[in-house]
Amino acid sequence: MTTIKDIAKAAGVSVTTVSRALNGYSDVNEKTRRKIMDIAKQLNYSPNTLARGLVMKKSRTIGMLVSGMNRVSSKDNFTFEVLSGVNECISERDYDLVLFSTTTTKQREKTYSQLCRERRVDGVILQGMKIDDPYLKEVVESDIPCMLIDIPISSKSVGYVTTDNVLGAKRAVRHLIQSGHKNIGLVNGHDQAYVSKQRLKGYIEALQEAGLQVNGQYIASGDFTEEKAEKAGTMLLKEHPELTAIFCASDLMALGVIKSAKAAGLSVPEQLSVIGYDNILLAAYSSPPLTTIAQNKFELGYKAANALIDMLEEKSDAQVITLETELIVRESAK
């Protein structure tokens, strides 16, 4: 096995110079660095990353902490696409990824800092946290660099990436209004999701800007699940038969509402228009294909990872990044 002593001998420099060149120190002459890197490649040198991490006090490992990841949540493919974006970015920047999850029970047994230290991660990306999650307070107080997804908390070492959820919801409701709808319902997520609050705000603003009354009885909670949204849709359609359209704060919930409409004998979109949010893979294959607000889930992960590594490498402070959304018109709204 090739060691840095072998490289030093071949390059005619000290072991210290080789070590500093391989670890990216700026006090090594660029010509010397290139020579050392070329020799290391020729000798098929593979660094002991654990030993290097102990010396540098860095593991070059990013942790992705996901809350609420289960078989049901896998249906919308959201977490997988975010994870794909994270993985591609850290691979490009020569970091490793550790995926771990948390639950309320686990949080009582182990603090956020303990969890991160045990897994020897340099920084963390958090996804799926509710805004009342006890870990969030620890995240802000911790000195571990962190990027949150869809949670608007920032500090010196904490940033976040999200999409413009207010504008996204407004785009959906405006599309319905421009199509002639006046009685528009909303099936939202839950109160402890930042995106739910933002999408509710967009729904209300779009109605108000069009001079339409906001009726609180037209709003129901679907908890981001297909099953609960189906129940919410059944309730709305039974109690408010005047509804001609429903905007759903996620595609899974939109699929649930379409089920409830069909069960009530209503055809979509002829008698009820439905718009979702997220543009998950299933949206294009539903019956009818779902009109939705697309957000770039891969980019959410990629941007979060890139911003976190920039923090770790002291190229920038914690960032707040907002991505755009797009209305995808299919056949579920008329």
Side-chain angles (χ1 to χ4, degrees):
M1 181 183 291
T2 302
T3 67
I4 60 173
K5 289 183 179 180
D6 299 321
I7 299 172
K9 184 177 180 180
V13 297
S14 69
V15 170
T16 301
T17 299
V18 172
S19 176
R20 297 184 74 81
L22 293 175
N23 285 304
Y25 283 93
S26 59
D27 58 353
V28 179
N29 178 278
E30 189 57 34
K31 184 178 179 181
T32 302
R33 184 194 308 280
R34 283 199 300 269
K35 180 180 179 181
I36 290 170
M37 298 302 283
D38 288 342
I39 291 172
K41 189 174 181 180
Q42 291 168 14
L43 296 177
N44 199 24
Y45 172 70
S46 178
N48 185 325
T49 54
L50 177 60
R52 186 172 68 179
L54 292 171
V55 173
M56 300 291 292
K57 295 184 179 179
K58 290 185 179 181
S59 64
R60 293 191 71 83
T61 301
I62 302 297
M64 185 162 177
L65 178 57
V66 181
S67 179
M69 185 167 59
N70 52 45
R71 181 177 291 181
V72 174
S73 66
S74 69
K75 191 172 184 179
D76 65 9
N77 218 37
F78 190 98
T79 299
F80 176 76
E81 290 196 45
V82 172
L83 179 59
S84 295
V86 170
N87 186 60
E88 181 154 320
C89 178
I90 68 168
S91 296
E92 290 173 357
R93 299 192 64 171
D94 196 27
Y95 279 72
D96 291 320
L97 176 66
V98 173
L99 176 66
F100 47 105
S101 62
T102 182
T103 62
T104 305
T105 302
K106 285 183 180 179
Q107 290 178 6
R108 285 196 294 266
E109 297 171 351
K110 196 168 294 184
T111 69
Y112 168 75
S113 294
Q114 286 175 327
L115 199 62
C116 296
R117 303 297 184 198
E118 283 180 6
R119 286 160 175 75
R120 297 193 70 252
V121 295
D122 295 336
V124 184
I125 297 168
L126 267 74
Q127 184 195 341
M129 294 284 182
K130 295 182 178 180
I131 56 179
D132 64 346
D133 195 298
Y135 262 15
L136 290 180
K137 186 173 184 293
E138 292 186 55
V139 167
V140 175
E141 294 173 350
S142 171
D143 60 352
I144 301 169
C146 177
M147 284 296 292
L148 302 165
I149 293 177
D150 282 335
I151 305 171
I153 296 174
S154 60
S155 68
K156 185 177 179 181
S157 60
V158 180
Y160 67 90
V161 182
T162 189
T163 53
D164 193 334
N165 289 282
V166 174
L167 182 56
K170 287 174 80 169
R171 281 196 174 114
V173 179
R174 282 173 181 166
H175 180 70
L176 292 170
I177 293 169
Q178 289 164 4
S179 299
H181 297 278
K182 294 182 179 180
N183 298 322
I184 303 168
L186 168 67
V187 174
N188 205 359
H190 55 72
D191 291 341
Q192 295 306 316
Y194 168 68
V195 297
S196 293
K197 295 178 182 294
Q198 295 297 96
R199 291 170 196 176
L200 172 61
K201 183 179 179 183
Y203 165 82
I204 291 172
E205 287 184 4
L207 293 176
Q208 290 175 335
E209 288 171 7
L212 297 176
Q213 183 180 357
V214 178
N215 187 339
Q217 293 184 340
Y218 287 178
I219 301 171
S221 172
D223 203 30
F224 289 113
T225 71
E226 186 176 349
E227 293 74 21
K228 290 186 179 180
E230 184 177 354
K231 292 178 181 178
T234 299
M235 181 272 293
L236 285 175
L237 294 172
K238 181 179 179 181
E239 296 182 4
H240 304 285
E242 69 275 17
L243 289 173
T244 62
I246 297 178
F247 164 54
C248 302
S250 81
D251 288 344
L252 271 188
M253 292 194 293
L255 297 179
V257 168
I258 289 174
K259 280 185 179 180
S260 68
K262 290 180 177 179
L266 300 175
S267 60
V268 177
E270 288 76 16
Q271 293 170 287
L272 181 74
S273 289
V274 179
I275 294 185
Y277 201 110
D278 286 333
N279 194 31
I280 64 174
L281 187 62
L282 290 175
Y285 301 100
S286 66
S287 179
L290 187 64
T291 294
T292 185
I293 299 297
Q295 57 175 334
N296 194 326
K297 300 168 283 297
F298 179 93
E299 197 70 5
L300 278 171
Y302 191 98
K303 293 282 188 183
N306 201 52
L308 179 59
I309 294 172
D310 280 349
M311 264 196 284
L312 294 172
E313 297 182 354
E314 299 181 354
K315 293 179 179 178
S316 74
D317 296 328
Q319 299 178 52
V320 172
I321 302 169
T322 303
L323 305 179
E324 292 301 314
T325 58
E326 179 186 1
L327 173 67
I328 305 295
V329 177
R330 294 195 180 102
E331 299 171 25
S332 65
K334 180 180 178 180

